Amino acid sequence: MNLSFWYKSKVELEICTIFYIIFIMQNTKREIEPELKRCAEYFPVVTILGPRQSGKTTLSKMFFPSYRYVNLEDPEIFALAQSDINEFFNLFKAPLIIDEIQRVPALLNKIQVLADENKQNGQFILTGSFQQGLKSAISQSLAGRTAVINLLPYSISELLQIGQNFSKDEYLYQGFMPRHYSENQPVDLLYRSYFQTYVERDVQSLLNVKHKNLFEKFLRLVAGRIGQVVNYESLANDTGVSSTTISEWISILESSFIIFRLEPYFENFTKRLVKSPKVYFYDTGLACYLLGIKNAEQVSRDPLMGNLFENMTVLEILKSQYNKGEGKSLYYFRDSKGFEIDLIIQNGRSIVPVEIKAASTFNAEFAKNLKKFTGFAKNAMNPTVVYSGNLECESDGVKYLNFKRCESLVE
């Protein structure tokens, strides 16, 4: 949305932009809010994990407007928290929001003591954008005292609330970072900045990468393998580092909420199953940036368009699970002969097999693998094709669903 076309002066544009940001913030209800409310009612501490710029701070401040707020990215506050924890909590008393708790995990022990003393629920709201080590520290220090929820960038259904209704190519290119929609940031500037300030700074500092160009090459290679089975040896050969280094880099990217792995589904259907995970990005806008895609028109012509669409669909279903307070229970199925089901949603002892197609025209052939799979997978139910077409129906026992409603697959 380019506002400059409608306003003659810079002042008018700035005023309009401010009101636009306020409108977006006030009218975009995050679907995780009921789960956040429920957790705060039953636990003294709630920990919100998720990618940087996914909206954790905004959600915390707007949902708990009377709470004090402190950000450990502030150098002075960071220094105080490290040097004198007691003075830190003398200055910043509960109820309290602490942003980027992974910066000073030593605070968790004191939070445990204070939570036990206060005996009130919802006293501390913690946010974190790095999982490695933090989850372990939380489970040790705050066992039984905190609920952990995962907040990812906007979902399609959240964007539809505020009238952001696009084609699949626009969604893929623009991505789902709240700042793009609340501050009207150009996509190219947003992801270039995101890459330079968060991916390069945070991830490379954790890895102590000596050759910046190799790590950037690795990231672009990972983007080029989106939705594909991870082959560490191939990545190592193409990047020019060891397989061990690739494994370490993949783990850090996952812990930093840059990528996530989709594990294969195992059942006694056959002994010859692929056992390596697939890799996807937590935001398709970043993936498009790394692939060098410069506009939505290029998305439709890109050889990886189908992979990007698959990434977006899997991610939408993952967001729906997290927003309902569920853990990730998503898989894919592939045997050694190449027979594959794009997504398996586990629902108790039952599974929902899903085929994902970027095409916009209905085609009964989309269900071919689903029918074969349900023939031998007796616990499979509600086989579904998610595609970009508008015709939603059920044909020969298979449901056809538009991608904008794929979150409905999560019960």
Side-chain angles (χ1 to χ4, degrees), residues 275-294:
K275 297 181 180 180
S276 297
K278 288 184 176 183
V279 63
Y280 296 95
F281 278 71
Y282 275 110
D283 190 82
T284 59
L286 178 60
C288 285
Y289 168 80
L290 292 169
L291 290 169
I293 296 173
K294 300 186 183 303

Side-chain angles (χ1 to χ4, degrees), residues 315-382:
L315 188 58
E316 286 300 298
I317 294 172
L318 178 59
K319 289 173 186 175
S320 185
Q321 287 189 332
Y322 282 166
N323 290 339
K324 289 178 169 62
E326 301 175 5
K328 183 173 74 172
S329 56
L330 305 178
Y331 308 89
Y332 79 97
F333 178 89
R334 181 187 291 177
D335 65 21
S336 59
K337 296 181 180 179
F339 174 75
E340 181 174 345
I341 298 296
D342 295 326
L343 184 65
I344 301 288
I345 305 173
Q346 190 162 29
N347 183 15
R349 295 187 177 183
S350 300
I351 57 175
V352 178
V354 181
E355 279 288 275
I356 303 169
K357 304 294 182 183
S360 58
T361 303
F362 175 89
N363 189 335
E365 283 295 303
F366 293 162
K368 181 179 178 180
N369 281 5
L370 289 173
K371 292 177 181 177
K372 180 178 178 180
F373 183 76
T374 55
F376 61 80
K378 301 307 178 184
N379 59 336
M381 57 181 291
N382 299 326

Side-chain angles (χ1 to χ4, degrees), residues 156-193:
I156 290 176
S157 57
E158 287 172 335
L159 290 177
L160 290 174
Q161 290 179 35
I162 52 173
Q164 304 293 329
N165 189 0
F166 304 119
S167 67
K168 70 176 190 303
D169 297 335
E170 284 288 353
Y171 278 127
L172 290 170
Y173 171 67
Q174 295 189 73
F176 299 89
M177 290 295 182
R179 178 170 288 182
H180 169 59
Y181 298 95
S182 65
E183 299 183 16
N184 200 31
Q185 279 195 352
V187 174
D188 59 333
L189 295 180
L190 170 65
Y191 288 105
R192 185 174 69 194
S193 172

Side-chain angles (χ1 to χ4, degrees), residues 3-34:
L3 301 173
S4 60
F5 176 82
W6 299 98
Y7 295 90
K8 297 180 180 179
S9 73
K10 185 178 179 181
V11 173
E12 287 178 328
L13 176 59
E14 289 177 348
I15 292 173
C16 174
T17 302
I18 290 171
F19 278 107
Y20 177 68
I21 291 172
I22 293 172
F23 171 81
I24 292 293
M25 292 178 66
Q26 290 181 342
N27 288 274
T28 308
K29 181 177 175 61
R30 300 307 302 264
E31 293 177 346
I32 205 169
E33 288 182 17

Side-chain angles (χ1 to χ4, degrees), residues 202-313:
D202 290 357
V203 176
Q204 291 196 60
S205 65
L206 290 163
L207 291 169
N208 193 24
V209 177
K210 296 179 180 179
H211 302 289
K212 176 181 174 182
N213 60 324
L214 284 181
F215 185 71
E216 183 171 336
K217 180 181 180 181
F218 158 73
L219 270 174
R220 296 186 188 280
L221 287 170
V222 173
R225 288 162 168 78
I226 197 167
Q228 299 176 24
V229 175
V230 178
N231 186 324
Y232 288 15
E233 194 66 38
S234 173
L235 277 171
N237 292 335
D238 292 345
T239 306
V241 298
S242 69
S243 297
T244 302
T245 298
I246 292 296
S247 178
E248 181 185 7
W249 287 1
I250 289 283
S251 295
I252 291 293
L253 288 179
E254 190 171 25
S255 296
S256 303
F257 290 100
I258 304 299
I259 65 170
F260 65 97
R261 285 181 275 197
L262 190 68
E263 299 293 337
Y265 181 78
F266 291 107
E267 193 62 65
N268 294 324
F269 303 139
T270 172
K271 294 181 179 180
R272 297 182 295 275
L273 296 176
V274 172
K275 297 181 180 180
S276 297
K278 288 184 176 183
V279 63
Y280 296 95
F281 278 71
Y282 275 110
D283 190 82
T284 59
L286 178 60
C288 285
Y289 168 80
L290 292 169
L291 290 169
I293 296 173
K294 300 186 183 303
N295 54 58
E297 289 71 28
Q298 288 184 8
V299 173
S300 62
R301 301 192 299 269
D302 195 272
L304 290 175
M305 188 270 287
N307 301 64
L308 288 165
F309 181 77
E310 181 178 312
N311 189 149
M312 179 173 67
T313 302

